[in-house]
Amino acid sequence: MLYIIDDADIEKIRECVEFYPVDGVTTNPTIISKQHTDFSSLIRSIREIIGKERMLHIQTTSDTAEEIIKEAYALKEFVGGEFYIKIPISPEGLKATMYLSKNGINVTSTAIFTQQQALIAAKAGASFVAPYVNRLDNIASDGVKVVEEVVELFKLHNISAKVLAASFKTVEQIHKISLTGCHSITINPELYEKLIYHPLTLYAIDDFEKDWETVYGTNSILGLLNN
Ligand code: E4P
C-alpha cells in the first residue's frame, strides 16, 4: 500500500520524508491556500524535498477542459518528476482526463463520492481515483464501503487504475481501508504519526532501556563490542 502525504507544509513534509516511508504528496487548492505563500516556490520546495521519483499530485483550479489541459501541461513542465494532475470529476474534467491520459500526462481523478464516478473516471483514463472517506462518513454514508466496492469493481472489470483513498480523520478509517486491498492512501502528517503510536510500545521501549542500563551502565551497544 502506498502512503502519501496530504499536506503542503514544507516542514511537516520534510519531517515525514525523514522519519516515515513516504510515496508522494497530494495537495488541493484548500491545502495550498492554507500556506499563504507563493505558489511556485512552494511546489518547487515540495519537489526538492521529496525528489523526482516520488509522486506529486497537484490539483487544477480551472473548470473548463481547455484550461485544465493548459494548466496540466504548464504544471508538468514546472514541477517535473513523477507528476499527476488532480482533476475533480465533472463533464469538463472527464474531457480533460481523456485528452491528457492519451497524451502522456498522469491524471488523478478527485472528489469521488460514488462507485460509478470512480468507474467512469478510470474509463476516461485516470491513473488514480480518489474517493473521500471521511466526507462520506460525515453525511452518514459509508466511506469504507464505497472504497471496498471500487476496489472490487476494478478487479472484476480488470481495470488498471488505482484507488487512492483520501479524506481521513481516524486511524480506524485507515485500518478498515487497508483491509479492502486499496492500493494507496493519502493522509496528513498528524494522522501518520498516530498510525505508529501506542502507549504499550512506549512502555516497552522504556523498559528495554532501563533493564539494559541497569546492567551495562550505558544505553549503547557500541562501546561493549570488545574482541
Ligand atoms: C485529497 O486528495 C483530498 O483533497 C483530501 O484528502 C480531502 O481531505 P479533507 O476531506 O480532509 O479535506
Side-chain angles (χ1 to χ4, degrees):
M1 195 164 86
L2 303 183
Y3 285 73
I4 297 172
I5 298 302
D6 200 24
D7 210 313
D9 182 307
I10 295 300
E11 287 321 311
K12 287 182 186 174
I13 294 172
R14 201 189 302 282
E15 207 177 304
C16 273
V17 167
E18 187 179 353
F19 292 103
Y20 297 86
V22 168
D23 296 293
V25 168
T26 53
T27 66
N28 65 34
T30 307
I31 289 172
I32 299 265
S33 306
K34 276 186 192 155
Q35 301 306 310
H36 294 277
T37 190
D38 177 65
F39 175 65
S40 37
S41 31
L42 182 65
I43 52 174
R44 207 182 277 125
S45 304
I46 296 176
R47 172 54 85 210
E48 225 173 271
I49 293 167
I50 68 175
K52 285 202 179 315
E53 279 78 36
R54 290 192 179 95
M55 294 185 288
L56 181 48
H57 301 241
I58 298 181
Q59 193 163 319
T60 180
T61 52
S62 294
D63 53 12
T64 65
E66 201 185 329
E67 289 302 310
I68 294 170
I69 290 166
K70 281 187 200 157
E71 282 188 359
Y73 277 113
L75 278 167
K76 186 180 165 62
E77 168 86 17
F78 186 80
V79 172
E82 272 295 295
F83 168 72
Y84 290 77
I85 183 78
K86 274 177 79 189
I87 306 179
I89 189 156
S90 71
E92 294 284 340
L94 286 171
K95 184 177 171 185
T97 301
M98 287 187 283
Y99 180 87
L100 291 167
S101 60
K102 279 197 194 100
N103 287 280
I105 298 207
N106 301 318
V107 175
T108 297
S109 189
T110 194
I112 298 285
F113 286 84
T114 73
Q115 297 82 340
Q116 287 303 314
Q117 286 178 328
L119 274 179
I120 293 164
K123 195 170 167 60
S127 306
F128 284 95
V129 300
Y132 284 9
V133 177
N134 189 64
R135 292 196 199 190
L136 278 160
D137 291 351
N138 273 348
I139 53 164
S141 183
D142 187 341
V144 173
K145 184 86 189 147
V146 170
V147 170
E148 191 173 38
E149 291 190 0
V150 175
V151 170
E152 268 175 39
L153 282 165
F154 281 11
K155 268 191 211 141
L156 197 63
H157 296 280
N158 216 6
I159 290 169
S160 60
K162 307 285 190 232
V163 184
L164 169 57
S167 176
F168 287 98
K169 286 292 168 286
T170 69
V171 167
E172 178 69 1
Q173 287 168 334
I174 296 171
H175 173 59
K176 285 183 175 160
I177 288 296
S178 57
L179 288 171
T180 68
C182 179
H183 181 263
S184 42
I185 59 166
T186 186
I187 54 176
N188 65 42
E190 293 76 15
L191 207 41
Y192 208 159
E193 274 175 33
K194 283 190 187 143
L195 285 181
I196 66 152
Y197 172 79
H198 198 288
L200 287 180
T201 304
L202 300 182
Y203 290 143
I205 292 171
D206 200 41
D207 280 346
F208 291 143
E209 282 174 8
K210 278 186 202 141
D211 291 343
W212 186 260
E213 273 190 50
T214 305
V215 173
Y216 294 102
T218 165
N219 69 354
S220 172
I221 282 177
L222 292 182
L224 306 173
L225 298 174
N226 303 315
N227 285 323

